């Protein structure tokens, strides 16, 4: 498959399980500017229909990397290119009584070798046999793809799907205890294929992971949506984090509540992006610049 996006763009995906489709929209990145027009044109990237296995299949989206999107359904793991509508269905090679939900997948990219890999993690809770995490390397003829087992002593009991790949490392949220009471940040080095747990401050709440200005960050908002906390991993080697607290204005808070918006990521300029939980036409998108503490509401009109 060819690389999807040649320059920084916002890529938004909506899930339509009834028709087994992913709806993709994109727009060129523009910096936060409150003096600009309130209307912006966003192109509909494509509608991608994935192969169904059962009538009740539901598409689960994992992370995206350089314009590619990783997702999965019952017994199907798929990497797709929204621009060309191409997709690769990865092979099945696990116990037939297992469900796809017993595994989580994350897409990673190794810039040093220009190589994409899919990491498949098995949940310990559903396994009667030793845990076997595995990797599938993309490239070449898709029919030749296969899963390779990787050695790791880390047992995971639950995952979250919003992994993020930064500088050849995939970061994801996971639970290391059967009670699933404490989330940790774990990582997968795409080149070396090593798994490890990242140290975090004791007071830090591990929430939605994202790429903030080239660094790993964890986004967590207050229950009453008055503010959010952004923990940023400033030093990867020494695992040093910093904390940013942003308080919403009453206008921003009302927008988030009234439009039922939720966090989806951060732009290359450091703007938090909020979109609706459910797709409507058109829909509102809200940008919040962390450093400038400015919000910028734009009505999205699709071509």
């Amino acid at each position: 498959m060819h690389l999807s996006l040649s320059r920084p763009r916002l890529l938004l995906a909506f899930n339509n399980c009834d028709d087994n489709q992913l709806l993709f929209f994109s727009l060129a990145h523009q910096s936060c500017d409150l003096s600009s027009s309130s209307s912006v044109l966003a192109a509909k990237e494509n509608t991608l229909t994935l192969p169904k296995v059962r009538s009740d299949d539901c598409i689960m989206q994992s992370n995206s990397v350089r314009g590619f999107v990783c997702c999965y359904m019952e017994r199907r793991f798929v990497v797709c290119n929204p621009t060309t509508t191409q997709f690769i269905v990865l092979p099945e090679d696990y116990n037939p009584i297992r469900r796809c939900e017993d595994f989580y997948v994350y897409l990673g990219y190794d810039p040093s070798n220009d190589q994409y890999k899919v990491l498949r993690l098995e949940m310990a809770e559903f396994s009667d046999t030793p845990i076997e995490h595995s990797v599938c390397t993309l490239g070449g003829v898709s029919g030749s793809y296969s899963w390779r087992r990787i050695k790791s002593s880390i047992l995971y009991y639950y995952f979250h799907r919003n992994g993020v790949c930064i500088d050849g490392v995939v970061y994801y949220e996971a639970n290391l205890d059967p009670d699933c009471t404490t989330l940790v940040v774990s990582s997968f080095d795409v080149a070396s294929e090593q798994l490890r747990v990242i140290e975090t401050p004791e007071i830090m709440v591990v929430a939605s992971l994202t790429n903030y200005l080239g660094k790993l960050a964890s986004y967590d908002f207050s229950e009453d949506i008055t503010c959010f906390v952004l923990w940023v991993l400033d030093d990867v080697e020494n695992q040093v984090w910093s904390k940013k607290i942003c308080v919403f204005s009453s206008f921003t808070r009302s927008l988030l509540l009234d439009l039922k918006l939720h966090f989806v990521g951060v732009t290359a300029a450091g703007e938090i992006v909020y979109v609706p939980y459910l797709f409507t036409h058109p829909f509102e998108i809200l940008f919040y610049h962390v450093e400038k503490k400015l919000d910028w509401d734009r009505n999205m009109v699709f071509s």
Side-chain angles (χ1 to χ4, degrees):
M1 294 195 299
H2 298 290
L3 183 65
S4 294
L5 304 177
S6 59
R7 62 183 184 278
R9 298 178 67 86
L10 294 179
L11 180 64
L12 305 176
F14 290 89
N15 192 335
N16 184 350
C17 286
D18 293 337
D19 297 324
N20 214 47
Q21 293 180 333
L22 288 175
L23 308 178
F24 292 98
F25 299 89
S26 70
L27 70 157
H29 170 71
Q30 301 180 43
S31 297
C32 182
D33 180 4
L34 294 179
S35 64
S36 62
S37 169
S38 62
S39 181
V40 63
L41 184 67
K44 183 174 182 180
E45 191 76 18
N46 252 320
T47 299
L48 190 62
T49 302
L50 300 179
K52 256 189 183 299
V53 178
R54 304 183 323 185
S55 60
D56 60 346
D57 272 349
C58 186
I59 303 171
M60 301 292 184
Q61 291 173 237
S62 184
N63 62 320
S64 63
V65 179
R66 304 180 80 223
F68 292 119
V69 176
C70 188
C71 54
Y72 54 102
M73 300 167 290
E74 178 68 21
R75 307 194 61 75
R76 284 291 186 274
F77 301 96
V78 180
V79 178
C80 57
N81 183 327
T83 301
T84 65
T85 69
Q86 293 175 292
F87 59 83
I88 296 173
V89 179
L90 301 181
E92 306 174 41
D93 70 340
Y94 47 89
N95 191 316
I97 67 172
R98 298 274 177 83
R99 302 169 302 165
C100 190
E101 290 84 353
D102 298 348
F103 301 88
Y104 272 62
V105 291
Y106 298 100
L107 178 62
Y109 174 71
D110 172 21
S112 61
N113 297 307
D114 189 25
Q115 198 168 60
Y116 293 87
K117 296 180 182 179
V118 177
L119 169 68
R120 187 178 68 189
L121 298 168
E122 183 178 350
M123 287 194 283
E125 182 179 1
F126 298 102
S127 178
D128 297 324
T129 59
I131 300 302
E132 292 186 330
H133 305 315
S134 50
V135 171
C136 182
T137 301
L138 305 183
V141 181
S142 61
S144 65
Y145 295 154
S146 62
W147 294 99
R148 293 177 290 100
R149 302 298 187 262
I150 59 174
K151 294 182 179 180
S152 174
S153 60
I154 303 178
L155 298 182
Y156 298 112
Y157 288 89
Y158 188 75
F159 303 95
H160 285 249
R161 287 188 291 272
N162 66 326
V164 58
C165 185
I166 305 172
D167 294 334
V169 178
V170 178
Y171 300 94
Y172 50 94
E173 307 157 50
N175 280 99
L176 300 182
D177 62 279
D179 296 329
C180 297
T181 56
T182 305
L183 277 173
V184 300
V185 178
S186 196
S187 70
F188 168 70
D189 187 285
V190 183
S192 67
E193 300 184 356
Q194 295 296 307
L195 300 174
R196 74 166 179 165
V197 176
I198 304 298
E199 292 184 11
T200 57
E202 289 186 7
I203 62 171
M204 173 179 164
V205 176
V206 177
S208 299
L209 300 183
T210 188
N211 184 334
Y212 177 71
L213 301 178
K215 299 178 180 179
L216 175 68
S218 175
Y219 171 94
D220 183 36
F221 65 93
S222 61
E223 291 185 3
D224 56 359
I225 316 183
T226 56
C227 67
F228 68 83
V229 176
L230 198 67
W231 285 93
V232 182
L233 182 58
D234 292 315
D235 187 333
V236 177
E237 286 300 317
N238 298 308
Q239 301 182 32
V240 177
W241 297 76
S242 63
K243 181 181 180 181
K244 299 177 183 292
I245 300 178
C246 293
V247 179
F248 292 126
S249 66
S250 57
F251 170 74
T252 301
R253 183 174 181 271
S254 64
L255 278 177
L256 293 173
L257 291 171
D258 295 344
L259 300 176
K260 297 180 173 59
L261 304 179
H262 72 118
F263 168 81
V264 292
V266 183
T267 70
E271 300 160 349
I272 304 293
V273 183
Y274 300 94
V275 299
Y277 282 99
L278 300 176
F279 173 70
T280 58
H281 183 84
F283 64 84
E284 298 286 331
I285 185 169
L286 179 71
F287 297 83
Y288 184 94
H289 199 291
V290 176
E291 301 300 330
K292 298 178 181 178
K293 293 182 172 54
L294 296 174
D295 50 39
W296 180 48
D297 176 41
R298 287 193 165 190
N299 182 36
M300 309 301 290
V301 182
F302 299 111
S303 59

mmCIF file of all heavy atoms in Angstrom, residues 63 106 162-167 169-173 185-188 196 198 209 216 233 236:
data_model
loop_
_atom_site.group_PDB
_atom_site.id
_atom_site.type_symbol
_atom_site.label_atom_id
_atom_site.label_comp_id
_atom_site.label_asym_id
_atom_site.label_seq_id
_atom_site.Cartn_x
_atom_site.Cartn_y
_atom_site.Cartn_z
ATOM 1 N N ASN A 63 -5.067 2.388 16.473
ATOM 2 C CA ASN A 63 -4.393 3.656 16.188
ATOM 3 C C ASN A 63 -4.120 3.837 14.702
ATOM 4 O O ASN A 63 -4.243 2.910 13.899
ATOM 5 C CB ASN A 63 -3.074 3.721 16.964
ATOM 6 C CG ASN A 63 -2.105 2.615 16.553
ATOM 7 O OD1 ASN A 63 -2.500 1.494 16.337
ATOM 8 N ND2 ASN A 63 -0.836 2.954 16.456
ATOM 9 N N TYR A 106 -2.007 -2.977 17.597
ATOM 10 C CA TYR A 106 -1.520 -1.612 17.430
ATOM 11 C C TYR A 106 -0.588 -1.578 16.223
ATOM 12 O O TYR A 106 0.206 -2.512 15.997
ATOM 13 C CB TYR A 106 -0.762 -1.144 18.667
ATOM 14 C CG TYR A 106 -1.599 -1.106 19.920
ATOM 15 C CD1 TYR A 106 -1.531 -2.145 20.854
ATOM 16 C CD2 TYR A 106 -2.482 -0.060 20.166
ATOM 17 C CE1 TYR A 106 -2.304 -2.126 21.995
ATOM 18 C CE2 TYR A 106 -3.264 -0.039 21.304
ATOM 19 C CZ TYR A 106 -3.174 -1.070 22.214
ATOM 20 O OH TYR A 106 -3.951 -1.060 23.339
ATOM 21 N N ASN A 162 -6.508 3.350 22.131
ATOM 22 C CA ASN A 162 -5.913 4.568 21.581
ATOM 23 C C ASN A 162 -4.391 4.591 21.720
ATOM 24 O O ASN A 162 -3.814 5.463 22.355
ATOM 25 C CB ASN A 162 -6.539 5.818 22.226
ATOM 26 C CG ASN A 162 -6.213 5.918 23.702
ATOM 27 O OD1 ASN A 162 -6.098 4.906 24.377
ATOM 28 N ND2 ASN A 162 -6.048 7.131 24.192
ATOM 29 N N GLY A 163 -3.727 3.637 21.113
ATOM 30 C CA GLY A 163 -2.273 3.660 21.105
ATOM 31 C C GLY A 163 -1.761 4.787 20.218
ATOM 32 O O GLY A 163 -2.473 5.310 19.364
ATOM 33 N N VAL A 164 -0.497 5.138 20.400
ATOM 34 C CA VAL A 164 0.104 6.203 19.597
ATOM 35 C C VAL A 164 1.551 5.819 19.306
ATOM 36 O O VAL A 164 2.257 5.309 20.179
ATOM 37 C CB VAL A 164 0.014 7.565 20.335
ATOM 38 C CG1 VAL A 164 0.692 7.519 21.696
ATOM 39 C CG2 VAL A 164 0.615 8.681 19.476
ATOM 40 N N CYS A 165 1.990 6.042 18.062
ATOM 41 C CA CYS A 165 3.360 5.711 17.654
ATOM 42 C C CYS A 165 4.162 6.999 17.490
ATOM 43 O O CYS A 165 3.784 7.880 16.715
ATOM 44 C CB CYS A 165 3.349 4.919 16.345
ATOM 45 S SG CYS A 165 4.987 4.349 15.825
ATOM 46 N N ILE A 166 5.279 7.106 18.224
ATOM 47 C CA ILE A 166 6.132 8.288 18.189
ATOM 48 C C ILE A 166 7.583 7.842 18.069
ATOM 49 O O ILE A 166 8.072 7.080 18.910
ATOM 50 C CB ILE A 166 5.960 9.157 19.449
ATOM 51 C CG1 ILE A 166 4.491 9.544 19.655
ATOM 52 C CG2 ILE A 166 6.832 10.413 19.373
ATOM 53 C CD1 ILE A 166 4.221 10.242 20.974
ATOM 54 N N ASP A 167 8.262 8.299 17.028
ATOM 55 C CA ASP A 167 9.692 8.004 16.847
ATOM 56 C C ASP A 167 10.007 6.512 16.964
ATOM 57 O O ASP A 167 10.957 6.109 17.633
ATOM 58 C CB ASP A 167 10.533 8.793 17.855
ATOM 59 C CG ASP A 167 10.466 10.289 17.622
ATOM 60 O OD1 ASP A 167 10.221 10.699 16.474
ATOM 61 O OD2 ASP A 167 10.639 11.046 18.594
ATOM 62 N N VAL A 169 8.296 4.110 18.408
ATOM 63 C CA VAL A 169 7.826 3.431 19.622
ATOM 64 C C VAL A 169 6.306 3.572 19.707
ATOM 65 O O VAL A 169 5.767 4.667 19.571
ATOM 66 C CB VAL A 169 8.473 4.009 20.895
ATOM 67 C CG1 VAL A 169 7.926 3.307 22.137
ATOM 68 C CG2 VAL A 169 9.985 3.879 20.835
ATOM 69 N N VAL A 170 5.630 2.450 19.928
ATOM 70 C CA VAL A 170 4.183 2.469 20.125
ATOM 71 C C VAL A 170 3.898 2.474 21.628
ATOM 72 O O VAL A 170 4.400 1.615 22.367
ATOM 73 C CB VAL A 170 3.514 1.233 19.488
ATOM 74 C CG1 VAL A 170 2.005 1.246 19.752
ATOM 75 C CG2 VAL A 170 3.779 1.185 17.988
ATOM 76 N N TYR A 171 3.111 3.453 22.068
ATOM 77 C CA TYR A 171 2.714 3.549 23.470
ATOM 78 C C TYR A 171 1.223 3.210 23.578
ATOM 79 O O TYR A 171 0.418 3.585 22.715
ATOM 80 C CB TYR A 171 2.942 4.956 24.010
ATOM 81 C CG TYR A 171 4.386 5.400 23.947
ATOM 82 C CD1 TYR A 171 4.859 6.133 22.856
ATOM 83 C CD2 TYR A 171 5.275 5.109 24.983
ATOM 84 C CE1 TYR A 171 6.188 6.546 22.792
ATOM 85 C CE2 TYR A 171 6.606 5.524 24.930
ATOM 86 C CZ TYR A 171 7.053 6.242 23.831
ATOM 87 O OH TYR A 171 8.361 6.645 23.774
ATOM 88 N N TYR A 172 0.838 2.522 24.645
ATOM 89 C CA TYR A 172 -0.559 2.155 24.826
ATOM 90 C C TYR A 172 -0.865 2.017 26.314
ATOM 91 O O TYR A 172 0.036 1.850 27.142
ATOM 92 C CB TYR A 172 -0.880 0.837 24.093
ATOM 93 C CG TYR A 172 0.067 -0.295 24.376
ATOM 94 C CD1 TYR A 172 -0.200 -1.229 25.376
ATOM 95 C CD2 TYR A 172 1.254 -0.439 23.658
ATOM 96 C CE1 TYR A 172 0.666 -2.267 25.650
ATOM 97 C CE2 TYR A 172 2.133 -1.477 23.916
ATOM 98 C CZ TYR A 172 1.848 -2.380 24.915
ATOM 99 O OH TYR A 172 2.709 -3.409 25.185
ATOM 100 N N GLU A 173 -2.156 2.095 26.637
ATOM 101 C CA GLU A 173 -2.614 1.957 28.017
ATOM 102 C C GLU A 173 -2.979 0.501 28.293
ATOM 103 O O GLU A 173 -3.578 -0.160 27.444
ATOM 104 C CB GLU A 173 -3.851 2.815 28.256
ATOM 105 C CG GLU A 173 -3.712 4.273 27.861
ATOM 106 C CD GLU A 173 -5.072 4.886 27.598
ATOM 107 O OE1 GLU A 173 -5.958 4.723 28.456
ATOM 108 O OE2 GLU A 173 -5.249 5.497 26.540
ATOM 109 N N VAL A 185 1.238 2.932 31.493
ATOM 110 C CA VAL A 185 1.676 3.192 30.130
ATOM 111 C C VAL A 185 2.707 2.134 29.776
ATOM 112 O O VAL A 185 3.688 1.937 30.492
ATOM 113 C CB VAL A 185 2.300 4.593 29.996
ATOM 114 C CG1 VAL A 185 2.793 4.824 28.563
ATOM 115 C CG2 VAL A 185 1.296 5.669 30.392
ATOM 116 N N SER A 186 2.468 1.428 28.683
ATOM 117 C CA SER A 186 3.413 0.426 28.213
ATOM 118 C C SER A 186 3.883 0.806 26.822
ATOM 119 O O SER A 186 3.253 1.636 26.143
ATOM 120 C CB SER A 186 2.748 -0.954 28.189
ATOM 121 O OG SER A 186 3.711 -1.981 28.105
ATOM 122 N N SER A 187 5.002 0.223 26.374
ATOM 123 C CA SER A 187 5.552 0.599 25.073
ATOM 124 C C SER A 187 6.074 -0.611 24.318
ATOM 125 O O SER A 187 6.430 -1.643 24.897
ATOM 126 C CB SER A 187 6.675 1.622 25.247
ATOM 127 O OG SER A 187 7.819 1.025 25.837
ATOM 128 N N PHE A 188 6.118 -0.454 22.999
ATOM 129 C CA PHE A 188 6.649 -1.470 22.088
ATOM 130 C C PHE A 188 7.608 -0.777 21.143
ATOM 131 O O PHE A 188 7.216 0.123 20.394
ATOM 132 C CB PHE A 188 5.502 -2.118 21.307
ATOM 133 C CG PHE A 188 5.949 -2.963 20.142
ATOM 134 C CD1 PHE A 188 6.602 -4.166 20.345
ATOM 135 C CD2 PHE A 188 5.696 -2.553 18.840
ATOM 136 C CE1 PHE A 188 7.002 -4.957 19.267
ATOM 137 C CE2 PHE A 188 6.087 -3.332 17.755
ATOM 138 C CZ PHE A 188 6.740 -4.540 17.972
ATOM 139 N N ARG A 196 7.966 -2.912 27.216
ATOM 140 C CA ARG A 196 8.342 -2.487 28.567
ATOM 141 C C ARG A 196 7.262 -1.578 29.136
ATOM 142 O O ARG A 196 6.429 -1.031 28.402
ATOM 143 C CB ARG A 196 9.695 -1.782 28.589
ATOM 144 C CG ARG A 196 9.713 -0.377 28.021
ATOM 145 C CD ARG A 196 11.013 0.304 28.416
ATOM 146 N NE ARG A 196 11.119 1.662 27.895
ATOM 147 C CZ ARG A 196 12.004 2.544 28.324
ATOM 148 N NH1 ARG A 196 12.848 2.228 29.293
ATOM 149 N NH2 ARG A 196 12.049 3.753 27.808
ATOM 150 N N ILE A 198 6.374 1.900 31.148
ATOM 151 C CA ILE A 198 6.933 3.230 31.363
ATOM 152 C C ILE A 198 6.586 3.719 32.772
ATOM 153 O O ILE A 198 5.430 3.621 33.206
ATOM 154 C CB ILE A 198 6.379 4.236 30.335
ATOM 155 C CG1 ILE A 198 6.641 3.736 28.903
ATOM 156 C CG2 ILE A 198 6.994 5.613 30.534
ATOM 157 C CD1 ILE A 198 8.097 3.594 28.548
ATOM 158 N N LEU A 209 -3.875 8.519 25.630
ATOM 159 C CA LEU A 209 -2.520 8.828 25.168
ATOM 160 C C LEU A 209 -2.568 9.518 23.811
ATOM 161 O O LEU A 209 -3.388 9.188 22.956
ATOM 162 C CB LEU A 209 -1.685 7.553 25.077
ATOM 163 C CG LEU A 209 -1.499 6.770 26.379
ATOM 164 C CD1 LEU A 209 -0.584 5.575 26.144
ATOM 165 C CD2 LEU A 209 -0.938 7.662 27.475
ATOM 166 N N LEU A 216 5.179 11.997 23.908
ATOM 167 C CA LEU A 216 4.039 11.266 24.445
ATOM 168 C C LEU A 216 3.354 12.098 25.513
ATOM 169 O O LEU A 216 4.007 12.723 26.349
ATOM 170 C CB LEU A 216 4.504 9.939 25.053
ATOM 171 C CG LEU A 216 3.413 9.123 25.756
ATOM 172 C CD1 LEU A 216 2.403 8.589 24.747
ATOM 173 C CD2 LEU A 216 4.028 7.983 26.570
ATOM 174 N N LEU A 233 5.593 13.493 28.547
ATOM 175 C CA LEU A 233 6.847 12.776 28.786
ATOM 176 C C LEU A 233 7.983 13.567 28.133
ATOM 177 O O LEU A 233 8.274 13.410 26.959
ATOM 178 C CB LEU A 233 6.766 11.359 28.214
ATOM 179 C CG LEU A 233 7.983 10.451 28.426
ATOM 180 C CD1 LEU A 233 8.289 10.281 29.910
ATOM 181 C CD2 LEU A 233 7.756 9.093 27.766
ATOM 182 N N VAL A 236 12.366 10.771 27.565
ATOM 183 C CA VAL A 236 12.011 9.364 27.392
ATOM 184 C C VAL A 236 12.982 8.453 28.141
ATOM 185 O O VAL A 236 12.579 7.503 28.813
ATOM 186 C CB VAL A 236 11.987 8.991 25.896
ATOM 187 C CG1 VAL A 236 11.683 7.507 25.720
ATOM 188 C CG2 VAL A 236 10.956 9.832 25.162
#
